Amino acid sequence: MAKLSEREKQFVIEKLAEFCSHVEVARLLKSEFDVAVDRFQIRTLDPSHPRFAGSDKWRAIFDARRRGYLTTMEDLPIANDQFRLRQLQD
């Protein structure tokens, strides 16, 4: 398993909070930081997974990022069901 720096761990946590899969996060980590990890190592950094082995610090960052991401998604008109239905109707 690759030893991840704090910056790389934060990147992983943020991508997981944005609903990226473990495989997607591993692929993004490889392209952004040139660090090869497998999905099982990513899983240990996922606070929403039972195998989470991180600290409360990472859980707090994950929760804050997830709340921010969901709030941003609600602000986008296309994310609203009524907006999409209205577009289809027109």
Side-chain angles (χ1 to χ4, degrees), residues 1 11-12 14 25 29 32 39 41 47 56 60 62 68 75 78 85 87 90:
M1 284 181 21
F11 177 82
V12 168
E14 289 174 355
V25 173
L29 196 60
E32 292 285 326
R39 61 189 169 98
Q41 185 174 358
D56 290 335
F62 177 87
D75 292 342
I78 196 70
L85 289 172
Q87 291 288 15
D90 292 343

Side-chain angles (χ1 to χ4, degrees), residues 71-87:
T71 302
T72 303
M73 290 301 295
E74 290 173 358
D75 292 342
L76 295 173
I78 196 70
N80 187 326
D81 290 334
Q82 292 177 348
F83 176 84
R84 289 196 308 261
L85 289 172
R86 198 171 320 120
Q87 291 288 15

Side-chain angles (χ1 to χ4, degrees), residues 26-55:
R27 205 173 296 137
L28 287 170
L29 196 60
K30 176 68 174 167
S31 67
E32 292 285 326
F33 297 99
D34 197 33
V35 175
V37 296
D38 61 358
R39 61 189 169 98
F40 301 109
Q41 185 174 358
I42 299 295
R43 183 176 64 183
T44 62
L45 291 172
D46 186 355
S48 64
H49 197 275
R51 299 233 184 228
F52 175 63
S55 65

